[in-house]
């Protein structure tokens, strides 16, 4: 295995943990405030990775580094009427793995990676509220993955 440059596209969607929070109006000045359940949900879609993998000697072991692009789709249902725009995310990935052979043309790869997307800020768009009163969310998404792949060389 020599130096490898590659592109990966993940067709699956990663669902983030859904959160439901109940809010209720208090008496006094907040008596007319919104109340009910705030449902916060999102998914990561269209994950594309550009990577380079470098062998570590002739052992089959390798390291890899990559640039990752993905879309964060927000699907919130908020009693305040606020919504959040979807976000195009960029990040980096590092990993290591082992590639072995199966017969004359077959191979397998066992790999682990860590991906971290850049920090992002999302501003809510609450109907009837001034822009200075919009909710703001600052977040960063990261994760680990393990993969077993089997293939054939042509």
């Amino acid at each position: 295995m020599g130096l490898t440059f590659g592109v990966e596209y993940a067709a699956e969607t990663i669902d983030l943990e859904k959160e439901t929070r109940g809010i209720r109006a208090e008496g006094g000045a907040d008596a007319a405030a919104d109340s009910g359940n705030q449902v916060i949900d999102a998914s990561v879609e269209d994950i594309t990775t550009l990577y380079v993998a470098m062998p570590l000697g002739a052992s089959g072991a390798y390291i890899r580094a990559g640039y990752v692009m993905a879309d964060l789709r927000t699907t919130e249902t908020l009693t305040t009427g606020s919504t959040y725009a979807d976000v195009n995310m960029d990040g980096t990935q590092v990993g290591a793995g082992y590639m072995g052979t199966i017969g004359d043309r077959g191979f397998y790869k066992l790999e682990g990676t860590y991906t971290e997307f850049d920090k992002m800020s999302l501003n809510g768009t609450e109907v009837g509220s001034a822009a200075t009163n919009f909710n703001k969310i600052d977040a960063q998404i990261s994760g680990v993955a393990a993969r077993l792949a089997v293939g054939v060389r042509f």
Side-chain angles (χ1 to χ4, degrees):
M1 177 176 133
L3 191 63
T4 303
F5 295 92
V7 176
E8 294 176 344
Y9 175 77
E12 72 270 3
T13 297
I14 300 171
D15 291 321
L16 302 182
E17 187 174 338
K18 186 177 192 176
E19 181 75 26
T20 301
R21 296 182 184 168
I23 61 170
R24 64 183 175 89
E26 299 290 331
D30 292 333
D34 298 314
S35 63
N37 285 331
Q38 304 271 70
V39 181
I40 300 99
D41 201 7
S43 61
V44 179
E45 302 176 1
D46 296 327
I47 305 167
T48 304
T49 306
L50 307 172
Y51 70 90
V52 61
M54 183 177 76
L56 299 174
S59 67
Y62 62 92
I63 56 174
R64 69 178 268 169
Y67 173 73
V68 185
M69 300 161 283
D71 296 326
L72 176 68
R73 305 273 186 235
T74 63
T75 53
E76 66 282 333
T77 306
L78 306 175
T79 59
T80 60
S82 187
T83 60
Y84 294 89
D86 296 340
V87 176
N88 294 322
M89 302 186 304
D90 298 309
T92 55
Q93 183 180 83
V94 294
Y98 178 82
M99 181 186 292
T101 59
I102 303 172
D104 292 337
R105 297 185 338 172
F107 68 92
Y108 67 92
K109 288 177 25 175
L110 180 60
E111 180 177 87
T113 58
Y114 172 76
T115 303
E116 183 173 285
F117 290 98
D118 297 340
K119 293 179 183 176
M120 67 187 99
S121 291
L122 295 93
N123 290 315
T125 59
E126 188 170 345
V127 176
S129 184
T132 56
N133 293 334
F134 290 170
N135 290 329
K136 181 178 180 182
I137 297 173
D138 293 318
Q140 185 170 24
I141 298 174
S142 62
V144 296
R147 174 173 48 178
L148 173 63
V150 178
V152 176
R153 289 187 181 93
F154 295 98

